[in-house]
Amino acid sequence: MAPHSSSSHVFLLSIALLSMSCFSLSPFILPIGKDPKTLLFYSQVSIGTPRHNMDLVIDLGGPIVWYDCNTHYNSSSYHPVSCDSKQCPSGSFCSGCNGPFKPGCSNNTCGANILNPFANAIFTGDTGEDVLTIAGTKVSGLLTGCTDSQGFTGEPRVLQGLPPSAKGIIGLARTQLALPTQISSLFKLSRRFSLCLTSSNKYGLGNLYIGASPRSTVKNVDVSKIMQRTSIIVNPVSTAPISSEGEASYEYFIDVKSIKIGGKALNLKTPLLSIDKKGNGGTKLSTMDPFTKLHSTIYKPLVREFMKQASDKKMKKVQSIAPFEACYDFKSLGRTKTGFDAPTIDLVLGNGVQWTIYGGNSMVLVKKDVACLAVVDGGKNAMTAVVIGAHQLEENLLEFDLVSNKLGFSNSLHLHNAMCSQLRI
């Protein structure tokens, strides 16, 4: 195979499969950890026969589930999807292989585009069906992509940039082969999923919930009463590295109308908060970008106003630490239940809904005595104006309703003396 154009806590993926009724199953619950070096999030799955335990990175905008089926991997329960199968997505290429049959090496096989945002390349792989063994239960019928990482000698590695233990990616995007869509279909669950990312494994793991959402915290806070909702909008132009003409983006965009710092609206002299006919602009959510990334025309006024208000709060500015510009002496920062006492960042959405980013999410400790505003300059040529990164999503419950196209969000769970690890179904 060839392209077209990185110790973490190990744990076993667990799924609750208790009967809710004679017609449905309880939601799937996948524990999610955070890799402290790459700042990416992962869950462990068991694939094939015999079982192969693999850490797979969580990609909110990833279109498929894919894993590394190199020369050391084999599975007797693997079945490739043929090119003429109805299971083969329209427009897929047909794959072949000269070696002995194994996962990733078969003929007349439905090809898979293997995407890793850090590799700066698109890799080819095979689409196949295998047994996913979860908490002793075998789940059949799940379609995945598989590719041989050892087949790219001298080329960008398919696992580049991922945690050292990671062997692939779990895609959660609005596609037919994304994990939430497939699981919901196979087990007749509600087409929705919820995501809650832990700020650190030492505080407990986060979770991905497929088919339902948490109802309460361990302190009996009613989660439904703290959620706000906004529309998930569609960017009419694909933001993927490979797409067909006229194909819309499968990533999750929301309609940010304006941005406030400490309650003061920024005077943004740019139309980029809206998506234009070419797909430029708008706001999307990402778990593959550790920190929020802003188009330069938004980044500069936001950082300027933040620094002004930080000065008013007697936050002592220190030398910048790349890639961050606004950095402060740790000892000069006050504390609240939501983290550092820093100017809030408000994303103003439609119908008066507002997503508030507090100090625990807006600031990041980069040295033991320095904390910085955790946003980066995406440049003047950034296609998407605002990419809300994973740090800003931590300890926030997010609910994606794929039927009504609504995003529910809790704001910081610390407001309610709770954390992702304390949520209950």
Side-chain angles (χ1 to χ4, degrees):
M1 301 298 180
H4 286 321
S5 5
S6 104
S7 66
S8 63
H9 175 72
V10 176
F11 56 89
L12 289 174
L13 168 67
S14 64
I15 288 181
L17 290 175
L18 302 175
S19 177
M20 293 173 64
S21 70
C22 59
F23 302 103
S24 63
L25 297 171
S26 65
F28 280 34
I29 306 174
L30 290 72
I32 298 175
K34 179 181 180 180
D35 179 65
K37 293 185 178 180
T38 64
L39 307 181
L40 296 175
F41 294 84
Y42 62 92
S43 191
Q44 188 178 92
V45 301
S46 297
I47 302 174
T49 306
R51 300 179 185 181
H52 299 265
N53 296 330
M54 301 183 182
D55 285 350
L56 301 182
V57 169
I58 302 296
D59 183 358
L60 188 56
I64 67 171
V65 179
W66 66 263
Y67 61 93
D68 178 15
C69 51
N70 60 34
T71 54
H72 303 294
Y73 177 90
N74 213 330
S75 171
S76 61
S77 52
Y78 174 83
H79 300 285
V81 173
S82 65
C83 297
D84 55 0
S85 169
K86 293 181 180 179
Q87 292 179 303
C88 187
S90 176
S92 297
F93 61 92
C94 200
S95 176
C97 181
N98 295 324
F101 175 84
K102 69 178 293 291
C105 187
S106 56
N107 292 310
N108 189 36
T109 302
C110 180
N113 290 316
I114 305 299
L115 306 180
N116 174 358
F118 304 107
N120 196 31
I122 300 167
F123 301 89
T124 59
D126 292 348
T127 301
E129 181 180 323
D130 207 341
V131 174
L132 182 65
T133 305
I134 305 161
T137 300
K138 292 185 177 181
V139 180
S140 301
L142 193 71
L143 298 182
T144 60
C146 125
T147 191
D148 184 357
S149 66
Q150 297 180 346
F152 305 115
T153 304
E155 300 290 346
R157 303 286 291 183
V158 69
L159 301 176
Q160 182 177 329
L162 303 184
S165 66
K167 300 301 179 184
I169 286 177
I170 295 175
L172 307 181
R174 299 183 301 107
T175 62
Q176 290 303 306
L177 295 185
L179 186 65
T181 305
Q182 290 200 69
I183 292 296
S184 294
S185 177
L186 287 169
F187 292 93
K188 296 179 171 40
L189 299 173
S190 172
R191 290 189 59 229
R192 58 175 169 151
F193 70 93
S194 296
L195 184 65
C196 206
L197 303 177
T198 183
S199 54
S200 173
N201 292 347
K202 69 181 181 180
Y203 300 132
L205 302 177
N207 286 293
L208 168 66
Y209 307 83
I210 300 178
S213 296
R215 297 179 180 178
S216 65
T217 70
V218 291
K219 296 184 178 180
N220 294 319
V221 174
D222 187 341
V223 171
S224 67
K225 293 182 179 180
I226 66 175
M227 300 296 284
Q228 298 187 73
R229 285 174 173 78
T230 191
S231 295
I232 297 171
I233 63 175
V234 176
N235 185 331
V237 180
S238 177
T239 51
I242 183 171
S243 62
S244 302
E245 186 176 353
E247 185 179 346
S249 174
Y250 45 65
E251 296 190 87
Y252 296 98
F253 282 76
I254 57 175
D255 190 14
V256 174
K257 303 288 188 182
S258 62
I259 302 175
K260 298 178 181 179
I261 303 296
K264 179 181 178 181
L266 294 178
N267 182 18
L268 299 176
K269 299 177 181 179
T270 175
L272 283 176
L273 285 180
S274 299
I275 301 171
D276 67 17
K277 294 181 180 180
K278 296 182 179 181
N280 295 308
T283 300
K284 72 177 181 181
L285 281 63
S286 171
T287 55
M288 301 299 273
D289 288 277
F291 306 104
T292 289
K293 185 165 55 178
L294 304 173
H295 189 281
S296 293
T297 57
I298 298 174
Y299 173 83
K300 291 178 180 179
L302 184 146
V303 172
R304 185 166 53 243
E305 181 60 32
F306 184 92
M307 289 193 298
K308 178 181 179 299
Q309 294 193 25
S311 178
D312 293 340
K313 280 182 168 287
K314 309 300 182 183
M315 294 167 58
K316 182 182 178 182
K317 195 173 184 307
V318 297
Q319 185 176 352
S320 300
I321 299 177
F324 309 115
E325 181 177 349
C327 296
Y328 299 88
D329 185 339
F330 177 83
K331 295 178 181 179
S332 71
L333 306 178
R335 306 290 189 278
T336 70
K337 63 165 58 178
T338 54
F340 294 117
D341 183 13
T344 56
I345 301 174
D346 298 319
L347 305 179
V348 182
L349 308 161
N351 300 319
V353 176
Q354 187 166 279
W355 187 338
T356 300
I357 301 173
Y358 297 90
N361 293 105
S362 67
M363 304 285 290
V364 61
L365 192 64
V366 296
K367 295 171 61 177
K368 67 178 182 179
D369 56 351
V370 177
C372 300
L373 175 63
V375 298
V376 297
D377 190 346
K380 296 181 179 180
N381 298 317
M383 181 176 182
T384 303
V386 179
V387 180
I388 303 176
H391 183 74
Q392 281 68 41
L393 302 178
E394 290 173 359
E395 307 299 350
N396 282 245
L397 175 61
L398 305 175
E399 179 186 272
F400 299 81
D401 189 323
L402 305 181
V403 176
S404 65
N405 286 320
K406 295 288 186 180
L407 170 70
F409 61 94
S410 64
N411 286 315
S412 174
L413 289 171
H414 291 314
L415 288 168
H416 311 283
N417 301 307
M419 306 177 75
C420 287
S421 61
Q422 299 172 338
L423 297 178
R424 300 291 181 264
I425 289 290

